[in-house]
Amino acid sequence: MEKQIRKWETTLQSDEPLLDRLRRLNPDGYPATMKGDILALKVKSEKKPIVVCWNGEEIHVERRQPKNPFMAWSMDLKQFKHLFLSGKTPPVLVAMNNDQKNVKASADHHNGALALSFMVMFQECMEGGKK
């Protein structure tokens, strides 16, 4: 799992369009992307969630307790394996829509789009362990 998380971090760090979206300014000239924890993925049997954080310059994926994440999604290990390791799941967005009670997000379109991009990239990196 740790190897796949590192692969996900490398993928996020090397995606230039994604980095452009992270660095984008709002119409007033301020950063459109919040600094700190953008996404927290909690698998109930794991001790520490997977957290994607942005410091204004770099994006990192870490295993730790999140600090006020923009989006938090909790699931059990069976659901995690089905979504990310089976290789036969629908897109992450469909899975999230089917499990709204376990998804909490603030109401900001830019950060919401980023969090969904992170999840789709995670699914692509992990699915079936083939990618």
Side-chain angles (χ1 to χ4, degrees):
M1 173 70 104
E2 294 307 315
K3 182 178 175 183
Q4 290 169 311
I5 290 172
R6 296 283 67 86
K7 180 180 177 185
W8 184 33
E9 181 179 66
T10 300
T11 301
L12 292 172
Q13 290 175 344
S14 63
D15 188 309
E16 287 302 322
L18 176 64
L19 296 175
D20 180 59
R21 288 171 69 195
L22 285 163
R23 294 181 183 120
R24 190 167 299 158
L25 301 178
N26 69 16
D28 297 323
Y30 297 103
T33 303
M34 64 176 272
K35 287 185 184 177
D37 298 344
I38 298 176
L39 172 67
L41 179 61
K42 171 74 173 145
V43 181
K44 292 177 183 165
S45 63
E46 299 287 320
K47 292 182 179 165
K48 294 183 181 178
I50 303 166
V51 178
V52 180
C53 57
W54 168 250
N55 66 11
E57 295 180 21
E58 290 184 309
I59 190 166
H60 292 283
V61 180
E62 304 169 355
R63 277 217 185 248
R64 61 172 171 76
Q65 293 304 318
K67 298 172 190 148
N68 193 28
F70 172 80
M71 179 178 285
W73 188 11
S74 63
M75 65 185 73
D76 60 30
L77 184 59
K78 181 178 176 182
Q79 184 183 25
F80 177 83
K81 286 181 177 181
H82 176 71
L83 289 174
F84 295 105
L85 300 176
S86 71
K88 58 185 175 186
T89 59
V92 163
L93 183 56
V94 173
M96 290 176 70
N97 285 339
N98 289 337
D99 201 8
Q100 286 291 320
K101 69 183 181 303
N102 292 325
V103 180
K104 294 181 176 61
S106 302
D108 178 287
H109 178 74
H110 180 74
N111 289 316
L114 284 168
L116 290 176
S117 293
F118 298 162
M119 290 298 241
V120 169
M121 292 170 84
F122 188 44
Q123 187 178 43
E124 290 171 351
C125 285
M126 301 266 307
E127 245 183 15
K130 298 174 192 164
K131 297 181 182 178

